[in-house]
Amino acid sequence: MEEKILELFGKKLKVINIGLESFAESLKEEGVDVIQMDWEPPAGGDAELASLLDSLMD
Amino acid sequence: MAKKVVIDENNYYDSVTLMSISKDIKGMEGITEAVVVMATPHNKELLENVGLLTDEADNASPKDMVIAVEADSDDLAEEALAGVEEALEAKASGGGDDEYRPRTLDSALDAMPGANLAVISVPGDYAKKEAEKALNKGLHVMLFSDNVPVEEEIELKELAAEKGLLLMGPDCGTAVINNKPLAFSNVVSEGNIGLVAASGTGAQEVSTIIDKSGLGVSQVIGTGGRDLSTEVGGMEMLKGLKALAADDSTEVIVLVSKPPADEVVKKILAEVDKIEKPVVVNFLGGNEDLFEGSKAIYSSNLEEAALRAVALSEGNDYEAKDFTIPEEVAKIVEEETAKYSDDQKYLRGLYTGGTLCDESMLILADELDALYSNIPLKPEWALEDNAKSQENTALDLGEDEFTKGRPHPMIEPYTRVERVEVEAEDEEMAILLADVVLGYGSHEDPAGELAESIKDAKAKAEERGGHLTTIVSVCGTDNDPQDLAEQTAKLEEVGAIVMPSNAQAARLAAKIVQEIN
């Protein structure tokens, strides 16, 4: 049950940051490997269309 | 008065970036209002409140940016708009550099093989989708986003449990994984004390006291504030607890939360009883009776939890102390009380950290007849008007009523600066009590900003023939970007009394109020 969490504790942290860029900048300052995603609200913020797109992409 | 509202279609920036640009523009000469936001329903409401919602802005989508300014003249408004453009360009070329920014999680994983944690802070409406994608790719998740419905939280936590992954959040602001501070966290030394916390500033206070005591933490796992509700049932805290129990680097465990429902407490304590390692528990303001017969080590406040963990880690007995510097405290009380005018008798606590406000109120309430607040301990202590303090008052300035359309006071201190100015006019105030929270995510110089307003408030009290006592605690470490020692020095320079912990600051304030009466 805890194997994957213990595996995380034993490894170098590698972060994908989705959202506020300042969080990625802070992690870089602390020497953490981090990649910032170019995120924006899907389909112009239209929730219905976004959900349709998501099911198409899955 | 000139108003200008411009829509920048399909140009997405995150809210922190835009808030900081709004603030800079608002600070320009002749600008009375500046709102730079994505056109979400919430932000449209905000624009309406300041009279800057045009039809065009109302019809814009959340992918469109609205730049709205109100200035003394047309020219100044144009200048402000140009200023926004300039700031956005600087952000795009400076902050963005040439780094590759993947648009999908798959390409992010291709670009970073072995990625193991996703930190997600997109608006709440989109948070579940992004968290689900990350969990399905086998990533542990820290979900900073708030406004995620509890049903979605449960679904996400069930998915994470099925996959054996961490799902810290939603609304999780603080976590330290493998000694790396995430989001709003301090740079804490490495050690053998592991934390699982449902409260961000609670985790910050406990981990920094451990650091100040010369020890360190193995992991700080955040759960999000709602994890110990009856609905969620402590799923993440139980998972974190089991993981720390199995982790070789952790020898002492600390659990931190506001009081959960009784049945959730029982569930957590039943799990604690299965663990060999000592587990210190602080459910701030919770019922001690529930701990009867449990192996869990009860602590009444954050400082006690931290110091009990320190004693256990060092193999010492815990010794309860009200103050680590008792002689100095006696002297401070005597000196301060001698300087007040006859009118001065009340304390005002102005907090940026919600859990720190709670901790102080619990300590103060033991000594005071009444303690008014926007988050009162008893219904009869609710303030009639949150904009106006009554007698002894403590405020959590991070609550919604103070943060609508403004950044949290830990990020931008001006909500508190303004409130200190209001309190400074009240001749009955004798003590100003405050917290300063350092670490990543927090303002770059919170003590400097507070020190300026303390100086002015003290001068006002002196003009009236009185004296203002200011008591502050700084939640931080020497390795934080703001530097604990430098921040403490800035406060002491203006005559603030800096106590070693939030609990001790509250106890000193209580002692002085008692002495006055």
Side-chain angles (χ1 to χ4, degrees), chain A residues 11 14 18 20 30 38 40, chain B residues 63 102 116 119 121 178 440:
Chain A
K11 278 198 177 154
K14 286 182 148 192
I18 310 165
L20 304 177
E30 287 298 307
D38 184 12
E40 56 182 46
Chain B
K63 269 181 111 166
N116 44 23
V119 176
S121 53
N178 302 351
Y440 282 107

Side-chain angles (χ1 to χ4, degrees), chain B residues 261-409:
Chain B
D262 284 2
E263 69 263 30
V264 182
V265 175
K266 285 180 193 152
K267 212 193 289 183
I268 302 278
L269 295 183
E271 190 58 42
V272 169
D273 287 339
K274 294 184 203 155
I275 295 172
E276 294 293 319
K277 299 174 186 180
V279 182
V280 179
V281 182
N282 173 231
F283 293 147
L284 205 50
N287 182 357
E288 190 177 353
D289 297 343
L290 294 169
F291 282 67
E292 217 179 282
S294 165
K295 268 172 61 184
I297 301 159
Y298 172 85
S299 295
S300 63
N301 57 55
L302 300 166
E303 181 187 44
E304 183 185 338
L307 296 179
R308 280 188 183 276
V310 165
L312 284 161
S313 174
E314 289 181 323
N316 295 331
D317 288 333
Y318 166 74
E319 213 182 308
K321 280 185 209 152
D322 277 349
F323 296 102
T324 41
I325 41 166
E327 295 82 11
E328 280 178 51
V329 164
K331 204 170 138 232
I332 290 169
V333 174
E334 199 188 311
E335 283 175 2
E336 296 296 309
T337 42
K339 297 183 210 164
Y340 299 130
S341 69
D342 290 345
D343 297 326
Q344 290 187 280
K345 47 194 165 201
Y346 297 126
L347 79 84
R348 301 286 150 81
L350 301 182
Y351 289 88
T352 60
T355 308
L356 298 176
C357 185
D358 271 324
E359 185 187 41
S360 290
M361 290 203 302
L362 286 163
I363 291 168
L364 291 164
D366 278 347
E367 314 294 340
L368 305 174
D369 295 334
L371 177 60
Y372 294 92
S373 178
N374 60 327
I375 50 160
L377 292 176
K378 296 179 182 174
E380 61 268 33
W381 292 349
L383 282 169
E384 279 170 31
D385 174 3
N386 288 328
K388 199 172 176 308
S389 297
Q390 291 167 243
E391 300 176 12
N392 294 306
T393 292
L395 296 174
D396 174 3
L397 298 172
E399 280 289 304
D400 288 352
E401 55 268 29
F402 294 110
T403 55
K404 271 214 178 107
R406 305 179 140 211
H408 192 281

Side-chain angles (χ1 to χ4, degrees), chain A residues 2 4 8-9 11-12 14-21 26 28 30 32 38-41 44 54, chain B residues 12 14 61 63 99 101-103 113 116-119 121 129-130 140 163-164 178 180 219 242 440:
Chain A
E2 292 83 40
K4 284 191 188 159
L8 171 74
F9 292 169
K11 278 198 177 154
K12 192 174 169 203
K14 286 182 148 192
V15 176
I16 297 178
N17 191 50
I18 310 165
L20 304 177
E21 287 191 42
S26 303
K28 274 184 208 157
E30 287 298 307
V32 178
D38 184 12
W39 188 88
E40 56 182 46
D54 259 314
Chain B
Y12 182 81
D14 73 55
S61 93
K63 269 181 111 166
E99 259 172 54
R101 287 165 178 243
R103 292 184 72 95
N116 44 23
L117 176 73
V119 176
S121 53
K129 204 69 185 167
E130 299 302 327
H140 297 276
K163 295 187 173 290
N178 302 351
K180 300 299 182 188
Q219 309 286 345
K242 286 179 195 166
Y440 282 107

Side-chain angles (χ1 to χ4, degrees), chain B residues 197-247:
Chain B
S199 132
T201 41
Q204 289 190 273
E205 179 74 353
V206 172
S207 61
T208 55
I209 293 174
I210 291 170
D211 186 275
K212 286 173 187 169
S213 309
L215 299 187
V217 302
S218 53
Q219 309 286 345
V220 178
I221 300 171
T223 67
R226 226 169 23 195
D227 188 66
L228 281 81
S229 63
T230 312
E231 295 100 310
V232 187
M235 286 165 83
E236 200 62 22
M237 184 166 276
L238 289 167
K239 196 199 292 165
L241 182 58
K242 286 179 195 166
L244 292 179
D247 172 38

